[in-house]
Amino acid sequence: HLLESLEQKGLAGFVMKESKKYFSPAQPSKLVENLEEKKKIIEEIIPELDSLSDSITEKPRVVIFEGVKGVRAILKDVLEEKSTIYHYGDIISMRNVFAHVFPQYISERVKRKIPIKIICKKEEAHKELIKTAKKEYREFKFIPNDLKFESSVFVYSNKVAVFNLKQEPYFAVLIHNNDFYNTQKNIFELMWSLIK
């Protein structure tokens, strides 16, 4: 079967002697000719493939992260992207769940000069964060205490991460989509402008 396949590709030939088939290899240069032929075919269709690729609208990528380690992967991604973070929601749960890594996260964010804008309730636990806000590239706006944020949302670099850290099982949903990101960012900016 392999010899017949090589024969069909022009890489082997045969002769019949006394009703027996004798195969012989083609010149090695034939391999290069075959590759050049394939390259030429690919080069001819690339413009058409490019135009098809350009016409395809962006598909959203949605990933669910579970457990503390999984959710921490998003915090790492936030730092890697190095873009402004728009954060609204339940900060206290996030600080409690990531108590041992949160100081490192803040330190690394400050080191990379990544600004963060936060909309949340004003609580006792925020006192220190408010004191260090300016030097840690952090801005706050506070909502009335009777409003409840049960989850936490990060809007950053064409991505939106929704964290559920109130109780186990902890999980987060990361949506990577430009339209969704822009919508969430506009909602955040609208809230930011309306809060006194």
Side-chain angles (χ1 to χ4, degrees), residues 19 34 50 56 60 70 75 92 98 106 137 156-157 166 185 188 192:
S19 72
N34 272 10
D50 281 341
I56 296 169
L75 293 181
I92 302 300
F98 298 115
I106 292 172
Y137 306 102
Y156 69 101
S157 189
K166 201 85 176 172
K185 185 170 175 280
F188 182 94
W192 188 268

Side-chain angles (χ1 to χ4, degrees), residues 29-45:
S29 60
K30 189 72 179 167
L31 285 167
V32 177
E33 284 175 29
N34 272 10
L35 286 172
E36 285 176 350
E37 203 173 296
K38 285 178 182 174
K39 185 183 173 190
K40 190 179 174 186
I41 291 167
I42 291 167
E43 283 174 344
E44 284 174 2
I45 63 167

Side-chain angles (χ1 to χ4, degrees), residues 23-89:
F23 287 90
S24 62
Q27 289 295 316
S29 60
K30 189 72 179 167
L31 285 167
V32 177
E33 284 175 29
N34 272 10
L35 286 172
E36 285 176 350
E37 203 173 296
K38 285 178 182 174
K39 185 183 173 190
K40 190 179 174 186
I41 291 167
I42 291 167
E43 283 174 344
E44 284 174 2
I45 63 167
I46 276 178
E48 192 177 340
L49 291 173
D50 281 341
S51 67
L52 282 171
S53 176
D54 292 342
S55 69
I56 296 169
T57 54
E58 180 198 5
K59 287 186 179 178
R61 292 198 303 273
V62 180
V63 185
I64 296 174
F65 295 84
E66 295 179 342
V68 175
K69 283 186 180 177
V71 174
R72 272 176 63 187
I74 296 179
L75 293 181
K76 189 177 178 186
D77 185 56
V78 169
L79 294 174
E80 293 299 321
E81 291 292 350
K82 298 180 183 175
S83 66
T84 300
I85 305 158
Y86 305 94
H87 177 197
Y88 64 92

Side-chain angles (χ1 to χ4, degrees), residues 14-30:
F14 71 91
V15 291
M16 296 294 295
K17 288 183 184 176
E18 298 174 6
S19 72
K20 286 184 182 176
K21 210 173 189 179
Y22 290 86
F23 287 90
S24 62
Q27 289 295 316
S29 60
K30 189 72 179 167

